[in-house]
């Protein structure tokens, strides 16, 4: 019994204490500890501390100590709240204190997440009904998407070449000197489902990235298609685009270029260079392609794909999608590894359109003849985060 009495923190010792009290013929001075109140609040600065009340059902002329600790449920200690443990000491005559848990407030959209505060022992009081715990629910009130920062990084410079243009997306907003929008839902006969918008939920700059976000709007999908036509056009160059890609059945992100004479010459006569396309149902595989042909009825294309190991996806971290384009042809790279090239003979008897200025297009299509259509497995929103677009000549 001496061992038990020395243990102090454990329930067994509380029982001992209660027994001793009864022997003293004064059971009414041993209070019950009540911990009945869960806390559910939005993750805001005002709610940066969750207060969990701890109540004794009666006051006593002795000191009462209650021991507690926090534990993860779906929330993660450190990331979502600051883990804490310790003791509350009720002075004689006091019956109400609270446990404070600091919440990690950030600007990123998260699921509602839960942790719990557990009363793990006490001195001078008992837990009626066993161990007591209260649930803290951190409710999301953010919209910003958190993007990884890890992944492949390409060189800042290349021997014999100069950086002639880049957009690093480091500003507060999309640079309209570089980008404009394709709007609407035509999908160029590909039977795509998205409506392209210029609104700030479908495209914005955040944390150094251009974000293009495809959303499920219930009866349709919204997305964005950015283009540099009339603003930034280039003939030849080493072009590097660092991006995290979306994934999922029916999702079709692309980083591509069209001939600047597209409005007059039409497609595919203007030429199309697909630096990167991905079909979301194969999220570890990207395609590089050229399209050409003297008119729509003579459309031809040739391309090649490359992948990362099965089980990884291009949504997991950044990769760099590149072409090296010069008078002799075009070579495609994934993370500086060549996987496809064409030369000026690629178009055969057709006009070779790849020796004129081209502009950039960055978009996420939803649905279409090639990727198929979203199904129950497709999660929304989906995003493409572009860290930079760089042109070296
Ligand atoms: Ca948040
Ligand atoms: Ca950047």
């Amino acid at each position: 019994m001496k061992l038990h009495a020395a243990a102090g923190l454990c329930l067994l010792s509380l029982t001992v204490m209660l027994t001793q009290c009864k022997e003293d013929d004064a059971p009414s001075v041993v209070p019950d500890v009540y911990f009945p109140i869960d806390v559910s609040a939005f993750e805001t600065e005002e709610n940066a501390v969750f207060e969990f009340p701890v109540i004794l059902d009666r006051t006593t002329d002795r000191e009462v100590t209650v021991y507690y600790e926090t534990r993860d449920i779906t929330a993660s200690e450190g990331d979502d709240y600051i883990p804490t443990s310790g003791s509350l000491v009720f002075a004689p005559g006091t019956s109400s204190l609270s446990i404070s848990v600091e919440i990690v407030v950030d600007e990123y959209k998260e699921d509602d997440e839960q942790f719990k505060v557990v009363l793990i022992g006490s001195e001078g009081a008992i837990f009626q009904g066993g161990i007591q715990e209260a649930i803290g629910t951190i409710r999301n009130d953010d919209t910003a998407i958190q993007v990884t920062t890890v992944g492949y990084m390409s060189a800042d410079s290349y021997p014999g070449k100069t950086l002639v243009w880049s957009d690093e997306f480091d500003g507060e907003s999309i640079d309209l000197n570089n980008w404009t929008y394709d709007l609407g839902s035509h999908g160029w006969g590909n039977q795509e489902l998205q409506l392209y918008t210029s609104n700030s939920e479908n495209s914005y700059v955040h944390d150094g990235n251009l974000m293009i976000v495809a959303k499920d709007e219930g009866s349709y999908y919204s997305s964005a298609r950015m283009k540099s036509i009339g603003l930034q056009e280039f003939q030849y160059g080493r072009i590097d685009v660092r991006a995290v890609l979306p994934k999922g059945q029916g999702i079709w992100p692309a980083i591509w270029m069209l001939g600047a004479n597209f409005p007059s010459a039409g497609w595919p006569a203007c030429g199309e260079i697909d630096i990167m396309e991905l079909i979301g149902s194969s999220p570890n595989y990207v395609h590089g392609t050229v399209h050409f042909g003297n008119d729509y009825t003579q459309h031809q294309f040739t391309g090649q794909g490359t992948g990362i190991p099965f089980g990884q996806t291009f949504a997991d971290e950044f990769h760099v999608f590149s072409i090296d384009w010069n008078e002799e042809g075009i070579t495609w790279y994934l993370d500086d590894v060549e996987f496809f090239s064409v030369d000026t003979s690629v178009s055969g008897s057709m006009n070779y359109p790849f020796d004129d200025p081209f502009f950039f297009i960055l978009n996420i299509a939803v649905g279409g003849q090639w990727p198929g259509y979203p199904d129950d497995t497709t999660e929304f929103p989906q995003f493409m985060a572009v860290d930079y677009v760089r042109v070296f000549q």
Side-chain angles (χ1 to χ4, degrees):
M1 291 304 285
K2 276 180 182 170
L3 263 180
H4 290 155
L9 304 192
C10 75
L11 277 176
L12 188 51
S13 72
L14 291 168
T15 309
V16 170
M17 200 171 293
L18 180 59
T19 308
Q20 287 169 340
C21 289
K22 276 176 177 164
E23 283 166 357
D24 294 344
D25 196 31
S28 65
V29 303
V30 179
D32 288 341
V33 182
Y34 286 99
F35 193 28
I37 302 172
D38 295 337
V39 177
S40 176
F42 286 112
E43 182 200 284
T44 63
E45 291 296 342
E46 301 76 63
N47 301 331
V49 176
F50 282 13
E51 297 284 353
F52 294 86
V54 181
I55 313 285
L56 306 182
D57 74 329
R58 72 198 71 179
T59 57
T60 171
D61 56 3
R62 301 181 192 177
E63 198 173 80
V64 170
T65 305
V66 174
Y67 298 90
Y68 63 88
E69 67 184 27
T70 51
R71 294 179 192 162
D72 288 357
I73 302 178
T74 53
S76 300
E77 65 172 45
D79 290 338
D80 301 310
Y81 68 96
I82 306 302
T84 182
S85 61
S87 58
L88 289 180
V89 179
F90 293 78
T94 336
S95 62
S96 176
L97 291 173
S98 69
I99 297 168
S100 303
V101 180
E102 194 178 334
I103 302 305
V104 177
V105 177
D106 61 31
E107 58 188 339
Y108 299 115
K109 183 182 190 318
E110 294 154 287
D111 291 335
D112 291 354
E113 292 169 321
Q114 295 188 316
F115 63 93
K116 60 187 175 184
V117 184
V118 184
L119 302 188
I120 53 173
S122 64
E123 292 174 38
I126 59 169
F127 297 141
Q128 196 74 270
I131 296 288
Q132 298 230 18
E133 59 187 45
I135 307 256
T137 303
I138 311 167
R139 293 159 65 196
N140 178 68
D141 75 329
D142 295 319
T143 54
I145 295 169
Q146 188 163 22
V147 179
T148 182
T149 56
V150 303
Y152 196 79
M153 186 82 75
S154 54
D156 292 336
S157 62
Y158 296 94
K161 289 188 166 71
T162 304
L163 181 69
V164 295
W165 175 77
S166 75
D167 196 332
E168 304 287 330
F169 305 109
D170 286 340
E172 292 295 309
S173 59
I174 291 170
D175 186 346
L176 299 178
N177 295 314
N178 292 338
W179 304 102
T180 182
Y181 291 89
D182 269 329
L183 299 176
S185 57
H186 45 78
W188 292 12
N190 288 316
Q191 296 178 4
E192 299 161 18
L193 299 180
Q194 78 289 318
L195 177 70
Y196 286 125
T197 85
S198 59
N199 80 45
S200 60
E201 295 200 344
N202 295 119
S203 61
Y204 58 91
V205 165
H206 194 253
D207 286 349
N209 298 314
L210 170 66
M211 301 290 293
I212 294 179
V213 183
K215 297 177 64 190
D216 183 351
E217 306 285 359
S219 56
Y220 68 99
Y221 302 96
S222 63
S223 183
R225 183 155 82 183
M226 319 288 305
K227 58 182 181 177
S228 69
I229 187 168
L231 298 169
Q232 302 295 342
E233 298 176 341
F234 302 93
Q235 179 178 347
Y236 308 141
R238 161 79 188 212
I239 294 165
D240 293 329
V241 183
R242 184 173 193 254
V244 173
L245 306 180
K247 64 181 178 182
Q249 169 64 35
I251 303 293
W252 179 10
I255 297 167
W256 50 302
M257 305 183 81
L258 281 179
N261 63 346
F262 162 68
S264 57
W267 183 91
C270 63
E272 173 181 330
I273 304 170
D274 300 327
I275 300 171
M276 184 293 303
E277 287 184 287
L278 173 138
I279 297 306
S281 54
S282 299
N284 68 329
Y285 200 79
V286 289
H287 305 259
T289 311
V290 282
H291 297 256
F292 49 88
N294 294 342
D295 61 42
Y296 190 82
T297 65
Q298 301 180 73
H299 168 221
Q300 294 185 18
F301 63 95
T302 182
Q304 195 74 250
T306 188
I308 53 178
F310 189 77
Q312 300 177 20
T313 81
F314 285 99
D316 299 337
E317 60 180 46
F318 279 95
H319 290 273
V320 180
F321 310 95
S322 306
I323 58 170
D324 194 355
W325 171 30
N326 56 37
E327 297 83 348
E328 290 160 11
I330 309 167
T331 302
W332 280 253
Y333 300 86
L334 168 63
D335 296 340
D336 284 318
V337 177
E338 178 181 339
F339 68 92
F340 179 50
S341 67
V342 298
D343 61 26
T344 56
S345 69
V346 67
S347 55
S349 61
M350 304 275 192
N351 179 49
Y352 179 82
F354 305 107
D355 51 8
D356 281 305
F358 274 57
F359 64 90
F360 290 103
I361 306 177
L362 309 171
N363 73 294
I364 301 175
V366 181
Q369 289 165 333
W370 190 26
Y373 294 89
D375 62 20
D376 290 346
T377 67
T378 312
E379 293 180 9
F380 287 92
Q382 285 293 321
F383 69 89
M384 176 159 71
V386 182
D387 181 8
Y388 53 73
V389 181
R390 294 174 181 163
V391 181
F392 300 87
Q393 290 178 339

